[in-house]
Amino acid sequence: VLDTRTVPVRKTLLLKNTCGAPLTIQQVCLINDAHNGVPGERAFALEGPDRSVVGPGDVAGVRITYDHPEINADLDMDAVRDPDRAILVVQSDASNAPTLVVPVCGRILPEGETADPYDCPLPFTVPAGQRLDDLCDR
């Protein structure tokens, strides 16, 4: 059982090729990663993918690690510590979803503080079949 009550927390995202032809993963990155909203203070680390060409029905793994030495702050002053939020971007040669975006969230609390659930919405979507080439350059 994975203990997500302490950091670091590591999760693996499996990217499955559901098409009938090989898929090439061209770029993977994390954007908007700023612990407590501070630019340059990253909370997430990215490893992978473990392969760049994914055959029909096969998967590629991307590992995301959440870790930071400081607890999360209450940035919006609503008496709840705000989670760190980043976006995983996967660029591939898939015709139906060449730019895939996945929300990534985490929150570090002081010992003894209740970990209430929170939402991890995607701040934007990419329409099917559309590619946004410059996302990883932001």
Side-chain angles (χ1 to χ4, degrees):
V1 174
L2 177 66
D3 182 1
T4 58
R5 294 174 294 162
T6 60
V7 290
V9 174
R10 293 177 181 89
K11 299 281 187 166
T12 300
L13 175 68
L14 299 176
L15 303 166
K16 184 173 184 178
N17 179 2
T18 59
C19 299
L23 171 81
T24 301
I25 298 173
Q26 299 159 331
Q27 187 175 33
V28 178
C29 68
L30 282 169
I31 61 171
N32 298 348
D33 180 8
H35 179 68
N36 281 330
V38 179
E41 282 289 318
R42 298 192 175 274
F44 301 93
L46 178 65
E47 295 175 65
D50 61 352
R51 69 186 72 197
S52 59
V53 177
V54 185
D58 287 341
V59 297
V62 175
R63 184 162 82 171
I64 301 166
T65 301
Y66 179 61
D67 193 12
H68 199 279
E70 296 177 17
I71 62 172
N72 284 76
D74 178 10
L75 300 173
D76 59 6
M77 309 299 279
D78 65 354
V80 177
R81 294 183 191 278
D82 298 307
D84 293 317
R85 300 175 191 276
I87 301 166
L88 174 69
V89 177
V90 180
Q91 302 282 18
S92 74
D93 63 355
S95 60
N96 63 335
T99 300
L100 176 67
V101 291
V102 179
V104 179
C105 300
R107 182 174 57 187
I108 301 169
L109 303 174
E111 189 172 336
E113 191 167 308
T114 303
D116 293 326
Y118 58 88
D119 291 329
C120 187
L122 190 58
F124 65 90
T125 59
V126 179
Q130 186 175 352
R131 182 180 183 92
L132 298 178
D133 284 316
D134 66 342
L135 283 179
C136 288
D137 299 331
R138 296 178 186 193

